[in-house]
């Protein structure tokens, strides 16, 4: 039998080697993707990605800290007997807030200060009771007769102090683009929750400027965002033709949505009964400005802004109907986070392929 020349075998092997290399490369990429998936799953879980909260108790109960068992919300009698005020830490138009102590734990006691606004206070309590979730500050008790609410204490305070907090040596390691983006994801998750809440579509009305928005949310010790103030949370009911208006005075400035501004020009004096109502898309308009604050000016934040440019442009559509839903914004934010973490974990993979 005639033997084939050796050069044929060499030619075959020379073709085979690149194929083997490519197969190994693809296998490596697949393995890295699998590892990245596991990492992201753990990453999301640790940073609040999972929608269910194992710390939640049945309605009317709470637990926090290292306590395993759920306790019923504290009654008027229990609050008066067991809660001790330490100092006043804030005061708004509706209530005064006291750092307090209950069973050697720091808690927050809020009390009505203006009797003319008791309806707002009671509405906030109603919302707090009905919306208990991982997105909302934990309710520990209340006393309607004395217009008192007891909630969990978060020592890092409101989001107004975020940048100052991230410059404290203990938290400097948190001052990264992905941590900041996760806070923005938390914020949009709250908006999505309010827009699809068990009560219906709720609008965050206490949001006429950036500082006011940030004051409504708290930063938890494990770096999550929870909404704290629910006094101004009207309900949109499209099927019943029910829209909302955030207050009874004229709103101005670029921060509020166009439909929240007086539409008849400076020559016509503002009249509340002539002001057209609007829906929850006012919250969507404000997302890019709030997220821009979250992202700050750390390394990588401009890249994040670039990836969010299109969705933020859509949020700023003048026609509310053309703006995305909070769910669509949230989905985009999560996709961008996954993309950027993948690129950071596997730099140069695209060029290798």
């Amino acid at each position: 039998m005639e033997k084939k020349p050796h050069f044929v075998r060499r030619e075959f092997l020379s073709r085979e080697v690149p194929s083997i290399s490519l197969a190994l490369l693809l296998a490596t990429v697949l393995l890295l993707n699998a590892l990245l998936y596991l990492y992201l799953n753990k990453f999301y879980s640790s940073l609040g990605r999972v929608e269910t909260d194992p710390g939640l108790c049945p309605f009317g109960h709470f637990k926090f800290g290292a306590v395993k068992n759920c306790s019923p919300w504290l009654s008027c009698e229990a609050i008066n007997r067991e809660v001790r005020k330490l100092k006043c830490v804030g005061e708004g138009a509706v209530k005064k807030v006291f750092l307090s102590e209950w069973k050697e734990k720091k808690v927050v006691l809020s009390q009505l200060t203006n009797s003319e606004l008791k309806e707002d206070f009671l509405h906030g309590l109603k919302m707090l009771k009905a919306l208990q979730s991982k997105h909302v500050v934990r309710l520990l008790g209340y006393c309607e007769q004395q217009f008192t609410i007891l909630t969990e204490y978060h020592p890092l305070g409101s989001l107004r102090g975020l940048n100052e907090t991230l410059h404290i040596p203990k938290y400097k390691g948190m001052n990264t683009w992905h941590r900041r983006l996760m806070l923005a994801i938390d914020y949009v998750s709250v908006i999505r929750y309010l827009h699809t809440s068990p009560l219906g579509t709720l609008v965050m009305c206490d949001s006429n400027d950036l500082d006011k928005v940030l004051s409504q949310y708290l930063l938890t010790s494990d770096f999550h965002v929870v909404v704290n103030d629910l006094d101004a949370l009207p309900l949109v009911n499209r099927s019943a033709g029910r829209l909302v208006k955030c207050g009874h005075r004229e709103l101005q400035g670029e921060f509020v949505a166009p439909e929240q501004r007086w539409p008849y020009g400076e020559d016509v004096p503002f009249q509340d009964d002539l002001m057209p109502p609007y829906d929850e898309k006012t919250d969507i308009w404000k997302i890019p400005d709030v997220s821009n604050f979250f992202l700050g000016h750390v390394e990588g934040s401009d890249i994040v802004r670039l990836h969010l440019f299109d969705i933020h442009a859509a949020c700023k559509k003048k026609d509310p109907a053309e703006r995305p839903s909070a769910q669509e914004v949230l989905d985009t934010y999560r996709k961008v986070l996954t993309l950027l973490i993948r690129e950071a974990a596997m730099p140069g993979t695209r060029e290798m392929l």
Side-chain angles (χ1 to χ4, degrees):
M1 182 183 292
E2 183 181 353
K3 293 184 179 179
K4 293 183 179 180
H6 290 292
F7 71 85
V8 175
R9 182 181 178 86
R10 288 194 200 100
E11 185 180 350
F12 174 77
L13 288 173
S14 65
R15 282 199 221 104
E16 190 179 40
V17 170
S19 299
I20 294 173
S21 300
L22 182 59
L24 288 172
L25 177 59
L26 287 171
T28 303
V29 171
L30 289 172
L31 177 60
L32 286 172
N33 271 295
L35 292 172
L36 182 62
Y37 172 81
L38 294 173
Y39 166 75
L40 285 173
N41 192 48
K42 183 179 179 181
F43 184 78
Y44 285 150
S45 298
S46 65
L47 295 179
R49 178 70 154 78
V50 177
E51 293 299 326
T52 56
D53 183 356
L56 286 180
C57 292
F59 182 80
H61 295 74
F62 73 92
K63 68 176 179 178
F64 69 102
V67 178
K68 293 183 178 180
N69 298 324
C70 294
S71 302
W73 287 336
L74 300 187
S75 63
C76 297
E77 182 185 358
I79 290 174
N80 292 332
R81 185 180 65 250
E82 301 173 13
V83 176
R84 181 170 64 96
K85 290 181 185 176
L86 299 178
K87 63 177 180 178
C88 179
V89 292
E91 183 173 2
V94 178
K95 52 186 177 283
K96 185 178 286 188
V97 180
F98 297 90
L99 175 63
S100 304
E101 192 174 59
W102 173 70
K103 293 187 176 180
E104 301 183 346
K105 297 182 180 70
K106 297 290 192 301
V107 293
V108 173
L109 188 72
S110 302
Q111 291 184 317
L112 178 68
T113 54
N114 185 347
S115 59
E116 294 180 0
L117 297 175
K118 64 182 180 181
E119 294 303 319
D120 292 339
F121 184 90
L122 292 175
H123 176 74
L125 173 58
K126 176 184 175 182
M127 295 292 105
L128 198 54
K129 288 160 62 178
L131 298 175
Q132 284 296 289
S133 69
K134 69 168 191 148
H135 303 292
V136 178
V137 69
R138 193 162 296 162
L139 178 64
L140 309 180
Y142 64 91
C143 180
E144 285 193 38
Q145 297 94 313
Q146 298 173 8
F147 297 99
T148 299
I149 300 174
L150 193 69
T151 55
E152 187 175 8
Y153 171 60
H154 293 285
L156 296 183
S158 79
L159 289 176
R160 283 190 294 191
L162 174 63
N163 288 323
E164 290 75 12
T165 297
L166 289 172
H167 282 95
I168 297 173
K170 179 181 178 181
Y171 298 111
K172 278 189 175 181
M174 299 286 195
N175 197 16
T176 61
W177 67 261
H178 54 89
R179 280 284 180 173
R180 284 177 168 270
L181 178 54
M182 279 303 306
L183 291 175
I185 288 174
D186 270 358
Y187 164 71
V188 177
S189 296
V190 174
I191 299 299
R192 189 278 310 270
Y193 176 68
L194 295 179
H195 288 185
T196 58
S197 83
L199 301 178
T201 302
L202 300 167
V203 181
M204 192 67 178
C205 265
D206 251 345
S207 57
N208 298 333
D209 58 64
L210 178 62
D211 192 64
K212 186 64 174 174
V213 171
L214 298 175
S215 71
Q216 308 301 304
Y217 296 85
L218 298 174
L219 180 65
T220 67
S221 297
D222 56 350
F223 269 70
H224 292 303
V225 173
V226 293
V227 63
N228 180 53
D229 196 331
L230 303 174
D231 295 345
L233 212 60
L235 179 69
V236 169
N237 188 339
R238 284 192 185 82
S239 61
R242 182 177 169 185
L243 299 177
V244 305
K245 286 192 286 188
C246 291
H248 303 288
R249 62 183 179 84
E250 183 177 2
L251 301 179
Q252 297 177 323
E254 292 298 314
F255 188 82
V256 297
E259 64 270 22
Q260 292 184 280
R261 302 173 211 151
W262 179 243
Y264 302 116
E266 295 180 358
D267 296 334
V268 181
F270 176 81
Q271 295 182 57
D272 182 46
D273 58 339
L274 295 180
M275 180 67 198
Y278 34 82
D279 63 17
E280 77 280 3
K281 290 299 183 74
T282 57
D283 290 334
I284 304 300
W285 171 273
K286 298 160 189 173
I287 286 176
D289 299 292
V290 180
S291 289
N292 187 54
F293 168 81
F294 278 121
L295 292 175
H297 300 285
V298 297
E299 183 180 355
S301 62
D302 287 341
I303 299 297
V304 178
R305 287 186 179 91
L306 184 63
H307 281 80
L308 295 177
F309 180 85
D310 288 341
I311 192 67
H312 283 173
C315 291
K316 291 293 188 180
K317 293 280 189 180
K318 188 171 183 180
D319 182 355
E322 295 181 3
R323 295 175 204 153
S325 66
Q327 183 65 62
E328 289 170 322
V329 178
L330 182 59
D331 290 342
T332 301
Y333 274 38
R334 287 171 171 171
K335 286 176 184 175
V336 168
L337 176 64
T338 300
L339 172 67
L340 293 177
I341 290 179
R342 180 181 289 122
E343 290 184 350
M346 297 187 298
T349 301
R350 191 175 300 165
E351 289 76 6
M352 288 168 66
L353 292 172

